[in-house]
Amino acid sequence: MALEGGGKAGRRRGWGGGFPSLMRRKQVDSDRARAEGQPKLAKELNVPALVAIGVGSTIGAGVYVLVGTVAREHAGPALTISFLIAGIAAALSAFCYAELASRCPSAGSAYHYSYICVGEGIAWLIGWALVLEYTIGGSAVARGISPNIALFFGGPDSLPWILSRHQLPWFDVIVDPCAAGLVFIVTVLLCVGIKESSAVQGIVTVLNACVMLFVIVAGSYIGFQIGWVGYKVTDGYFPYGINGMLAGSATVFFAYIGFDTVASTAEEVKNPQRDLPLGIGAALSICCFLYMMVSVVIVGLVPYFAMDPDTPISSAFAKHGMQWAMYVVTSGAVLALCSTLMGSLLPQPRILMAMARDGLLPSFFADVNKRTQVPVKSTVVSGVCAAVLSFFMDVSQLAGMVSVGTLLAFTIVAVSILILRYVPPDEVPLPSSLQESLRLSQEYDEERVSSTFGDERSKTSQIKDVIVAESMEDPLIEKKIYTSKMDEMKRRKVAALSIGSVCVGVLVITSAASATWLPFWSWPPLLDRPR
């Protein structure tokens, strides 16, 4: 892989290089830049497979609980608008991922983009943040499956002995064999191949979507029968005001996290320039539609202040005489958790593989199985780590770190877009929307030059004579040809200074907003601070 400032030999010499080595950026991975014989991942994914991966990784069991909590504490009946605002905010991040994934279609997701645009030091930090996010997130999801499965056997402690949770003697540790077993099953499935695992995830995602459609259709039927009592509360549509609705949108935003999993599979997409933006956009649109429709139904069936914060959907149906609907909703929660578990374990081996390709990890993690064309070694290592965490540890305390890694990754991806647009590194492909305009501009310039020097005297003259003729007949062409590089460097410096100033300004404003010890006059005037 080609790197700015040298290849692998330059990398080995750069460990002690200090700050310059941390700011070193790599070029975009391509078939031309990769070494001969380096294994590649199988290109098996298309738009339907990407949509299945995106929807399955995004829609988790949290939506079956989140609607009750946010409606009771923040938004009230305006929960639908909260989901819409959160979906718009998530779409902005999704657009950034879509452009970067289509322009730099290689494994690694945010780690790969930050290495190209920002530098090695930030990329190393982002890579480990993503590994931590997916490992802890997968373990937390796995431990949440067994209580939902136990409901089918009659209660929380009704699982068979071999699958139920046990407390180890002499240790304050509760082990969960069911969670560890599920992680191992998903790991084996991911090792079989990306085509097979994406097909299974597609089936699970379709079943989960059918459960949500059942909630929407059956809930709408009941709502029209009873007259939507939830919307007739005396407090109005915004019982907590606009601020409560916005606070609810900030909470439900995390229900949209998962579309970045699609970007991590960019190297395995058949036509990444076309399929990745379509897959990410379609997946996010489907999730937003399902979230909004479910929230409309639930807050209309039951007043927001009477919702059960733990089981809002199943309890809403139970209040209207549909006790059996609890099993349907529980099935959807289990399917959503299984699909989210697959989405959590899928990107991590590819990030490890990308870091190993760049020399930040041992080459052991970069091996790709020749038969399945999957990084089997990285998949097994990440699966074993997630299984151990889900078996021994209560990861609820560590789950908060997942949000930190996600926020950091989203921020770096947005910064990378600004850098690509205004301070572009070398050898980064242009987006398809700009390639045609650039080609037309070049053809126009060539026509102008050829028409200006179309006579025989200009064709037979030397380079110096051509430059003189340019300056005499059309100085604008000379300025565009010979001073464009200086203008580009000036533009890059101004853009870099502007981006840095914006980042520092946002940091100062957010710090001032959260520092309660500052005097009142120092708070930003646009922030609604409590008095």
Side-chain angles (χ1 to χ4, degrees), residues 30-71:
S30 62
D31 295 335
R32 172 186 58 79
R34 290 175 185 162
E36 291 293 334
Q38 186 177 6
K40 302 176 183 178
L41 302 178
K43 289 185 175 295
E44 297 286 351
L45 300 180
N46 51 17
V47 175
L50 294 176
V51 172
I53 293 174
V55 175
S57 302
T58 303
I59 297 181
V63 67
Y64 295 97
V65 180
L66 204 60
V67 291
T69 303
V70 177

Side-chain angles (χ1 to χ4, degrees), residues 44-112:
E44 297 286 351
L45 300 180
N46 51 17
V47 175
L50 294 176
V51 172
I53 293 174
V55 175
S57 302
T58 303
I59 297 181
V63 67
Y64 295 97
V65 180
L66 204 60
V67 291
T69 303
V70 177
R72 282 176 60 96
E73 300 179 359
H74 298 291
L79 177 64
T80 306
I81 301 180
S82 296
F83 271 112
L84 177 61
I85 295 176
I88 294 174
L92 298 178
S93 297
F95 293 155
C96 296
Y97 271 95
E99 178 172 344
L100 288 170
S102 60
R103 294 179 67 176
C104 312
S106 184
S109 185
Y111 159 79
H112 179 61

Side-chain angles (χ1 to χ4, degrees), residues 117-385:
C117 301
V118 183
E120 182 178 296
I122 298 297
W124 184 87
L125 179 63
I126 292 296
W128 283 112
L130 292 176
V131 169
L132 179 67
E133 170 191 348
Y134 291 126
T135 302
I136 297 178
S139 302
V141 168
R143 286 189 73 99
I145 295 178
S146 53
N148 287 276
I149 295 179
L151 295 177
F152 292 102
F153 293 88
D157 300 325
S158 302
L159 279 175
W161 183 87
I162 194 173
L163 296 177
S164 61
R165 294 181 177 181
H166 305 281
Q167 184 171 0
L168 295 180
W170 303 294
F171 295 97
D172 189 16
V173 176
I174 299 177
V175 296
D176 193 339
C178 182
L182 288 172
V183 172
F184 278 123
I185 293 174
V186 172
T187 301
V188 172
L189 179 61
L190 293 177
C191 291
V192 172
I194 185 63
K195 185 177 182 180
E196 293 76 9
S197 60
S198 62
V200 173
Q201 188 168 19
I203 295 173
V204 176
T205 302
V206 169
L207 294 176
N208 183 27
C210 290
V211 173
M212 299 188 72
L213 289 176
F214 163 78
V215 172
I216 295 171
V217 174
S220 299
Y221 175 78
I222 297 175
F224 282 110
Q225 291 291 325
I226 64 176
W228 301 102
V229 295
Y231 289 110
K232 297 179 181 179
V233 294
T234 57
D235 295 334
Y237 195 71
F238 296 92
Y240 297 99
I242 301 298
N243 291 336
M245 184 264 294
L246 294 177
S249 64
T251 303
V252 301
F253 174 80
F254 291 97
Y256 289 95
I257 293 176
F259 58 82
D260 53 328
T261 304
V262 179
S264 66
T265 62
E267 194 171 328
E268 299 161 280
V269 181
K270 295 179 180 179
N271 188 356
Q273 281 73 26
R274 182 199 66 182
D275 295 347
L276 281 169
L278 289 176
I280 294 176
L284 194 62
S285 301
I286 293 173
C287 294
C288 186
F289 171 78
L290 292 176
Y291 286 159
M292 292 178 63
M293 294 305 297
V294 169
S295 62
V296 165
V297 169
I298 298 305
V299 300
L301 291 180
V302 181
Y304 68 93
F305 50 82
M307 284 186 179
D308 187 343
D310 297 325
T311 57
I313 298 179
S314 57
S315 62
F317 284 102
K319 289 182 179 180
H320 297 283
M322 297 177 63
Q323 299 287 345
W324 55 270
M326 180 194 71
Y327 296 100
V328 178
V329 174
T330 304
S331 301
V334 172
L335 292 171
L337 285 170
C338 293
S339 182
T340 305
L341 178 60
M342 296 180 64
S344 297
L345 297 181
L346 176 64
Q348 184 178 348
R350 285 144 182 85
I351 295 173
L352 295 175
M353 182 189 68
M355 296 178 69
R357 283 177 176 177
D358 298 333
L360 300 181
L361 285 177
S363 59
F364 169 85
F365 295 96
D367 291 340
V368 176
N369 187 275
K370 294 182 180 179
R371 185 177 65 86
T372 62
Q373 293 182 287
V374 170
V376 174
K377 296 180 180 179
S378 299
T379 303
V380 171
V381 171
S382 58
V384 169
C385 293

Side-chain angles (χ1 to χ4, degrees), residues 436-452 474 476-477 480-481:
E436 184 66 19
S437 61
L438 179 61
R439 184 184 64 82
L440 294 176
S441 177
Q442 290 176 346
E443 292 179 356
Y444 177 73
D445 291 341
E446 291 175 359
E447 291 177 358
R448 288 191 63 190
V449 173
S450 60
S451 62
T452 304
D474 197 339
L476 296 179
I477 296 180
K480 185 172 185 179
I481 295 177

